[in-house]
């Protein structure tokens, strides 16, 4: 079956611009996670959705970052006034239940480069 | 912040040899998971071990967990070139905490 998909696969933007990154989870998965991975590091948690609501957004670095999941499936991560330090691979994952009881299925990621 | 620390940072072996990677973490956990990441398939879940388990096997993978030392090891037996990837441990503390906390990873290279 189809896995988690993310678009675009690559995004290059200028400092100060606004970007949107999209995640299509596995059909029927209620839990959706966003992570950010910098070069040479492991993924770092950003935000978790259970259904339509953000159950835990403690990993968002500041108020320039925002994510939505209006219908409980597709999610969009939005970054305002991008900075060079935002350059990273943004990973989305989904699972059939909350927390670490359930295996998380990751998408291929969106590589964001801020110039 | 990263909870787990994998050791070594990089490992290079010959095909057919065994590879052992270690992970140490700082806080109490409900379970610990190992993931593999390569450019072809992204991040893939390998195995999960619960805090009340000491050892688990899956195919050529063997995972151990020592909660008293807050450490885990991943053994890959009879390695293949296709095992070349970065390997990450990730911990879940349980309860109302929803996130996985990943380490920095071990880069494994298996030479044909």
């Amino acid at each position: 079956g189809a896995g988690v998909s993310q678009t675009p696969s690559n995004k290059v933007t200028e400092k100060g611009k606004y970007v949107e990154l999209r995640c299509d989870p596995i059909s029927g998965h209620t839990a959706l996670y966003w992570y950010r991975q910098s070069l040479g590091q492991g993924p770092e948690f950003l935000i978790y959705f259970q259904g339509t609501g953000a159950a835990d957004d403690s990993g968002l670095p500041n108020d320039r970052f925002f994510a939505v999941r209006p219908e409980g499936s597709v999610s969009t991560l939005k970054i305002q006034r991008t900075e060079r330090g935002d350059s990273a691979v943004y990973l989305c994952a989904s699972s059939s239940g909350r927390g670490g009881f359930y295996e998380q299925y990751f998408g291929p990621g969106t590589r964001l480069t801020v110039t | 912040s990263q909870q787990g620390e994998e050791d070594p940072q990089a490992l290079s072996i010959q095909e057919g040899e065994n590879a052992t990677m270690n992970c140490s973490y700082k806080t109490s956990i409900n379970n610990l998971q190992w993931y593999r990441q390569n450019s072809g398939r992204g991040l893939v879940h390998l195995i999960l071990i619960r805090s009340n388990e000491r050892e688990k096997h899956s195919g050529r993978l063997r995972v151990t967990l020592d909660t008293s030392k807050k450490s885990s090891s991943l053994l890959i037996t009879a390695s293949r070139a296709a095992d070349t990837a970065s390997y990450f441990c990730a911990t879940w503390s349980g309860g109302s905490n929803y996130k996985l906390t990943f380490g920095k990873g071990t880069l494994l290279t298996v030479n044909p």
Side-chain angles (χ1 to χ4, degrees):
Chain A
V4 178
S5 62
Q6 293 185 246
T7 55
S9 55
N10 279 284
K11 176 72 177 177
V12 180
T13 191
E14 291 180 349
K15 181 175 176 297
K17 299 288 188 183
Y18 168 82
V19 296
E20 289 190 352
L21 312 180
R22 176 187 166 111
C23 172
D24 248 297
I26 292 172
S27 178
H29 277 189
T30 56
L32 185 146
Y33 303 79
W34 283 99
Y35 293 85
R36 178 168 72 173
Q37 187 174 22
S38 300
L39 193 62
Q41 303 291 316
E44 288 193 286
F45 170 81
L46 295 177
I47 187 170
Y48 160 72
F49 287 90
Q50 181 61 39
T52 59
D56 184 353
D57 65 357
S58 62
L60 294 178
N62 51 60
D63 61 6
R64 295 186 297 105
F65 289 74
F66 188 71
V68 295
R69 194 185 185 201
E71 297 178 359
S73 56
V74 170
S75 176
T76 305
L77 178 66
K78 308 180 181 195
I79 310 174
Q80 298 177 321
R81 305 183 303 280
T82 52
E83 300 177 357
R84 291 194 181 88
D86 298 335
S87 296
V89 176
Y90 289 81
L91 297 168
C92 175
S94 70
S95 70
S96 56
R98 73 160 185 89
F101 288 122
Y102 299 89
E103 177 180 342
Q104 293 186 21
Y105 295 83
F106 282 79
T110 292
R111 182 175 299 278
L112 175 65
T113 304
V114 182
T115 62
Chain B
S1 62
Q2 313 260 212
Q3 149 102 299
E5 290 286 339
E6 285 89 342
D7 165 52
Q9 288 187 328
L11 180 61
S12 182
I13 60 174
Q14 296 299 124
E15 229 174 5
E17 293 179 341
N18 296 341
T20 299
M21 288 159 271
N22 302 296
C23 167
S24 59
Y25 56 93
K26 298 173 185 171
T27 61
S28 63
I29 61 170
N30 179 289
N31 67 51
L32 184 145
Q33 304 176 28
W34 285 90
Y35 284 79
R36 179 181 67 211
Q37 185 177 43
N38 58 32
S39 57
R41 292 197 60 197
L43 201 65
V44 174
H45 179 269
L46 294 176
I47 195 166
L48 180 154
I49 186 165
R50 294 181 173 79
S51 60
N52 61 354
E53 296 176 311
R54 292 296 165 258
E55 187 170 314
K56 203 160 183 181
H57 297 253
S58 176
R60 294 184 297 113
L61 306 180
R62 173 180 166 246
V63 169
T64 62
L65 179 64
D66 186 335
T67 53
S68 66
K69 295 181 179 177
K70 292 188 169 58
S71 68
S72 174
S73 67
L74 172 67
L75 168 67
I76 304 174
T77 59
S79 63
R80 305 166 181 167
D83 295 329
T84 294
S86 290
Y87 291 80
F88 296 91
C89 66
T91 57
W92 182 51
S93 60
S96 59
N97 183 0
Y98 302 103
K99 65 184 181 184
L100 290 179
T101 304
F102 285 81
K104 294 184 179 181
T106 292
L107 176 60
L108 172 66
T109 303
V110 181
N111 301 298

